[in-house]
Amino acid sequence: MAFGFNYESNAGDIVPVLKFDARAGRFFRVDRTDGQNNPVDITQNFKAVMDFENIEVGYINFPAGAAPEFRMVPIGSPMPENPGGKFRQGIRMMLKLGKESGGDIREIATTAKAVLGAFDQCHTEYMAAAKNNPGKLPVVSLETTILYRDWE
């Protein structure tokens, strides 16, 4: 074989995902069993170590029934060109779920503004504390996904 490619299935190399359903305000661990996606709601006990060192930022398209499309760069790099169409600003990041949430390593890719805003705030706090915590990543727990407002 001149190309030297491995044509065997590499499905074992695929990192499982964590999804946020913005309409419901819920986090789901997506487990694959027998070729089927099985979402497991982990909102109530969400806890994870966030890999803020290696976040990717850029543009993501989530086409219905197809794999996501990414135009990403490492955080701190100039943003890639916006491909237009249905691409929206987003992030992609690895995290390790807490034991109560599943305990494994997951990838989250999202364009949900609620998640982006919260993760941006967490990242800002992480950067402010990083110099006093070398080699450490933050453990983030979810208090609520509901925004409360007082109206006068």
Side-chain angles (χ1 to χ4, degrees), residues 33-45:
T33 308
D34 298 325
Q36 298 293 318
N37 287 337
N38 301 305
V40 178
D41 189 339
I42 61 170
T43 307
Q44 294 301 316
N45 54 3

Side-chain angles (χ1 to χ4, degrees), residues 44-147:
Q44 294 301 316
N45 54 3
F46 179 84
K47 183 186 268 190
V49 177
M50 305 282 196
D51 187 3
F52 283 133
E53 285 291 316
N54 297 295
I55 295 176
E56 294 177 319
V57 297
Y59 298 94
I60 307 171
N61 178 24
F62 292 107
E69 300 173 311
F70 297 99
R71 302 294 185 276
M72 312 297 283
V73 296
I75 192 166
S77 299
M79 284 288 281
E81 184 176 330
N82 184 345
K86 294 187 177 185
F87 279 85
R88 295 175 36 200
Q89 288 185 334
I91 64 165
R92 180 167 55 183
M93 176 176 56
M94 301 297 285
L95 47 85
K96 183 175 188 324
L97 292 176
K99 193 179 296 183
E100 302 81 25
S101 301
D104 60 344
I105 294 174
R106 300 277 169 155
E107 176 184 85
I108 184 167
T110 186
T111 60
K113 290 182 181 180
V115 175
L116 296 176
F119 281 15
D120 193 7
Q121 181 179 347
C122 285
H123 181 264
T124 299
E125 292 173 15
Y126 162 72
M127 292 302 293
K131 63 183 170 217
N132 295 325
N133 297 285
K136 294 182 180 179
L137 292 171
V139 177
V140 176
S141 298
L142 182 67
E143 290 180 15
T144 182
T145 61
I146 299 170
L147 176 63

Side-chain angles (χ1 to χ4, degrees), residues 17-34:
V17 298
L18 176 72
K19 289 189 175 185
F20 181 75
D21 181 338
R23 291 171 293 205
R26 314 297 290 173
F27 277 102
F28 292 91
R29 178 183 89 218
V30 181
D31 297 340
R32 281 210 41 97
T33 308
D34 298 325

Side-chain angles (χ1 to χ4, degrees), residues 3-24:
F3 292 160
F5 293 155
N6 177 1
Y7 295 103
E8 299 299 317
S9 171
N10 63 352
D13 295 339
I14 297 173
V15 177
V17 298
L18 176 72
K19 289 189 175 185
F20 181 75
D21 181 338
R23 291 171 293 205

